[in-house]
Amino acid sequence: MKKILIGIAVVFFFGFGFFLFQIMGGFNDIKVELVDLGTLELSGIRFRGKPQDEALRDAFVRIEAIQKENQESQIHTIYYIEPAGRMDTMEVFVGLEKKWVSKEEALEELTFAAEQSIVARIKAHRFVMPGPVKVKSKILDFARENNLPEPRIFIDRILGPDEVMVIAVKE
């Protein structure tokens, strides 16, 4: 009798986990397409250090404050070096499109030719969202299949709490 109850409980929890994963968007496809975004001009802050450094938090807080003043704007991040753990060094740029930032902010500016950008859209809860390696792999496969130059820079545009657009450009 105990074995049957344990079996039913295991099947129930497995089924509930599967259902929860589905509801959160865990099975959603990564949609990849070729898009002409023209020139992408960003203004922001570059951080290099450990993930728990206060300067990283401060950079995000500063950019989010500017973003809240311009509701149509979206935060962009570029991870040049992604940390493998909490004590690893990382390098990230966090910013907004230049048109949303006043010149008085004195932020670093980056410009990318994005006429032939490969764009991946991911819509899922952050707990079940695919990792950067899977997304980059999907983008690189798309580039090879369509005889496009291999992108070198991957820009994450945060569209919402459960939606990200990854813009891949040559450089």
Side-chain angles (χ1 to χ4, degrees):
M1 185 68 171
K2 275 187 172 181
K3 289 181 182 180
I4 292 173
L5 289 175
I6 291 172
I8 291 171
V10 167
V11 168
F12 173 76
F13 285 116
F14 180 74
F16 181 72
F18 186 81
F19 176 73
L20 192 59
F21 191 74
Q22 170 69 28
I23 294 295
M24 295 173 80
F27 295 112
N28 292 353
D29 284 338
I30 301 170
K31 296 178 176 115
V32 183
E33 61 185 338
L34 187 63
V35 178
D36 181 355
L37 296 174
T39 301
L40 186 58
E41 296 177 317
L42 302 176
S43 292
I45 301 167
R46 187 183 302 255
F47 168 81
R48 184 178 174 90
K50 306 231 182 295
Q52 58 271 61
D53 285 353
E54 287 292 316
L56 176 61
R57 185 186 60 78
D58 294 344
F60 273 94
V61 167
R62 184 171 174 200
I63 296 301
E64 285 171 353
I66 298 169
Q67 191 256 341
K68 284 180 182 168
E69 294 173 9
N70 306 289
Q71 292 298 320
E72 301 89 36
S73 65
Q74 295 152 335
I75 294 178
H76 294 68
T77 58
I78 304 170
Y79 286 88
Y80 294 102
I81 301 171
E82 294 199 38
R86 292 176 47 163
M87 298 307 290
D88 290 340
T89 299
M90 67 182 295
E91 184 175 352
V92 62
F93 173 88
V94 57
L96 303 166
E97 285 187 72
K98 185 179 172 181
K99 66 183 177 183
W100 303 112
V101 180
S102 67
K103 293 187 191 283
E104 292 82 39
E105 293 292 337
L107 300 174
E108 179 180 348
E109 295 183 0
L110 300 176
T111 303
F112 299 99
E115 289 84 15
Q116 277 201 325
S117 297
I118 300 173
V119 174
R121 290 181 184 268
I122 304 108
K123 191 167 182 142
H125 191 277
R126 65 185 177 108
F127 290 138
V128 297
M129 195 169 280
V133 172
K134 184 175 182 178
V135 175
K136 286 179 184 177
S137 174
K138 192 101 168 170
I139 289 171
L140 294 173
D141 289 346
F142 181 87
R144 281 186 218 104
E145 290 169 5
N146 293 285
N147 296 319
L148 298 168
E150 192 171 290
R152 303 259 185 242
I153 305 287
F154 298 88
I155 304 165
D156 297 341
R157 179 182 286 175
I158 314 301
L159 301 175
D162 295 340
E163 190 172 6
V164 176
M165 177 192 302
V166 179
I167 303 165
V169 296
K170 289 185 284 188
E171 283 195 52

